[in-house]
């Protein structure tokens, strides 16, 4: 009975983690869309810096309350993570500016095969045929939903390559650092948020001026626009935390595959709030294909052999711990 209750508790926590991530991610997309499209606050990099500054305040509060314990993250690992994360943020913004929407969506979809490649190379993960096919089905469905016009240029392609690889590496590192240094989601966020906040707030205004030719301090701040900025920062705390929780409990690949449910929800909410222009037969078909692929992926990856991770070589006194770590990682794929 204890094993059953433990499994039930884990399943409930898994569902709660995904729900938390989906709600906060979709919420921040809708709020930022209103902030940028309606109120003209186009300073995405600086806004992300404010997000991490707010997250840093939360981590300070959690540390004071005792939810974050003293832990150690080597400076080289911290700097690599922050480098990948900041290149991801800037790269995505530049890619969206320099590419067509269609090619930008293709670049985002390519994060899944890149994340798979990183797991195969660094973690020696092997995927079953059904798991691979389910990933292809998700990619196909989301592509049908989102990819329209596709035009490519050299600088846009380079920006997309940098954005895709830095994002995939950042998400891989979330899972890797938690396992390597035995860090919880709160602990890792406590190490990284403050460094990201400082670096993005220092460089963000210059990057945004380069992208938009507008100065953030010259923006006409109003009560309603400040309200949306504060709301965006508040929701971002949940988005940042839920990303670390989900990738820590699962992997970057699962986070990417199942995370496309957010894309489907954004399309549906866009239809509800902004009219029927974006909804047609091929979009509905794409949604159905993508959701079917996500369900298939959840079932395929949770079966024995669906997604296997080879055990790392480790000193003999830690071998048992490493076995438990690998077993728990494989079990976490049961979504």
């Amino acid at each position: 009975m204890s094993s059953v209750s433990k499994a039930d508790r884990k399943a409930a926590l898994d569902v709660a983690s995904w729900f938390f991530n989906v709600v906060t991610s979709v919420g921040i997309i809708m709020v930022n869309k209103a902030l940028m499209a309606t109120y003209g606050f186009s300073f995405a990099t600086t806004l992300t810096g404010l997000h991490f500054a707010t997250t840093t305040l939360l981590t300070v509060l959690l540390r004071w309350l005792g939810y974050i314990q003293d832990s150690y993250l080597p400076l080289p690992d911290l700097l690599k993570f922050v480098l990948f994360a900041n290149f991801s943020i800037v790269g995505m913004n530049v890619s969206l500016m320099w590419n067509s929407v269609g090619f930008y969506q293709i670049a985002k979809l390519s994060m899944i095969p890149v994340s798979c490649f990183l797991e195969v190379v660094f973690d020696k993960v092997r995927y079953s045929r059904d798991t691979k096919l389910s990933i292809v089905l998700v990619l196909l469905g989301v592509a049908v939903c989102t990819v329209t016009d596709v035009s490519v240029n050299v600088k846009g392609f380079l920006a997309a390559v940098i954005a895709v690889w830095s994002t995939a590496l950042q998400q891989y590192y979330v899972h890797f650092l938690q396992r390597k240094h035995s860090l919880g989601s709160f602990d890792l966020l406590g190490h990284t948020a403050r460094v990201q906040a400082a670096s993005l707030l220092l460089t963000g205004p210059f990057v945004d001026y380069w992208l938009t030719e507008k100065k953030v301090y010259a923006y006409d701040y109003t009560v309603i626009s400040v309200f949306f900025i504060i709301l965006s920062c508040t929701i971002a705390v949940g988005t940042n935390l839920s990303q670390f929780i989900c990738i820590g409990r699962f992997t970057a690949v699962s986070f990417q595959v199942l995370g496309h449910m957010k894309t489907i929800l954004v399309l549906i909410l866009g239809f509800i709030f902004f009219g029927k222009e974006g909804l047609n037969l091929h979009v509905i078909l794409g949604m159905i294909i993508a959701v079917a692929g996500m369900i298939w992926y959840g079932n395929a990856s949770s079966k024995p052999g669906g997604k296997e991770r080879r055990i790392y070589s480790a000193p003999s006194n830690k071998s048992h711990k490493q076995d438990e770590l690998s077993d728990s990682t494989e079990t976490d794929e049961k979504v």
Side-chain angles (χ1 to χ4, degrees), residues 14-249:
D14 288 347
V15 172
S17 299
W18 279 116
F19 182 77
F20 184 32
N21 180 255
V22 168
V23 169
T24 55
S25 298
V26 173
I28 200 169
I29 289 171
M30 303 305 290
V31 170
N32 287 351
K33 184 173 182 179
L35 179 61
M36 294 180 181
T38 306
Y39 300 103
F41 190 86
S42 56
F43 311 102
T45 311
T46 304
L47 181 62
T48 306
L50 293 173
H51 290 169
F52 281 105
T54 310
T55 304
T56 300
L57 294 177
L58 174 67
T59 61
V60 170
L61 176 62
L62 291 175
R63 187 179 299 277
W64 181 69
L65 293 173
Y67 290 102
I68 296 180
Q69 306 300 323
D70 290 334
S71 57
Y72 175 69
L73 180 62
L75 183 61
D77 284 344
L78 174 60
L79 294 180
K80 279 191 287 187
F81 178 88
V82 172
L83 182 68
F84 293 145
N86 288 357
F87 265 96
S88 168
I89 293 164
V90 176
M92 280 297 177
N93 292 336
V94 174
S95 177
L96 182 59
M97 183 181 71
W98 286 351
N99 291 309
S100 65
V101 174
F103 186 75
Y104 174 77
Q105 292 294 344
I106 289 175
K108 286 181 66 177
L109 290 175
S110 68
M111 289 179 198
I112 293 179
V114 171
S115 295
C116 290
F117 174 80
L118 292 176
E119 286 193 356
V120 169
V121 172
F122 294 118
D123 291 346
K124 310 303 180 187
V125 169
R126 291 177 296 181
Y127 299 92
S128 68
R129 185 189 65 176
D130 281 359
T131 303
K132 294 174 184 175
L133 290 175
S134 67
I135 291 173
V136 171
L137 192 64
V138 172
L139 292 172
L140 174 64
V142 177
V144 171
C145 286
T146 60
V147 176
T148 52
D149 61 310
V150 178
S151 59
V152 186
N153 57 77
V154 174
K155 66 178 185 179
F157 177 79
L158 292 176
V161 169
I162 293 172
V164 168
W165 277 93
S166 57
T167 302
L169 284 165
Q170 181 261 341
Q171 293 183 355
Y172 172 82
Y173 252 68
V174 169
H175 189 75
F176 173 76
L177 292 177
Q178 289 190 47
R179 288 189 293 115
K180 180 181 178 181
H181 300 291
S182 300
L183 296 172
S185 304
F186 290 110
D187 301 322
L188 183 58
L189 194 61
H191 285 289
T192 59
R194 55 191 175 186
V195 182
Q196 281 191 263
S199 57
L200 289 173
L201 288 176
L202 285 173
T203 61
F206 299 101
V207 173
D208 288 331
Y209 180 72
W210 173 53
L211 293 174
T212 65
E213 297 184 351
K214 297 178 182 178
K215 299 176 180 178
V216 65
Y217 56 80
Y219 175 75
D220 183 21
Y221 294 91
T222 62
V223 173
I224 190 67
S225 65
V226 171
F227 168 78
F228 271 97
I229 291 171
I230 294 173
L231 181 60
S232 177
C233 291
T234 303
I235 299 174
V237 173
T239 305
N240 292 331
L241 178 59
S242 64
Q243 182 194 53
F244 279 43
I245 292 174
C246 286
I247 297 178
R249 293 186 66 83

Side-chain angles (χ1 to χ4, degrees), residues 250-251 254 297-298 301-302 307 329-335:
F250 309 99
T251 63
S254 293
Y297 175 83
S301 64
S302 65
K307 185 175 179 180
T329 303
E330 185 175 341
T331 305
D332 282 348
E333 289 302 309
K334 296 180 181 178
V335 185

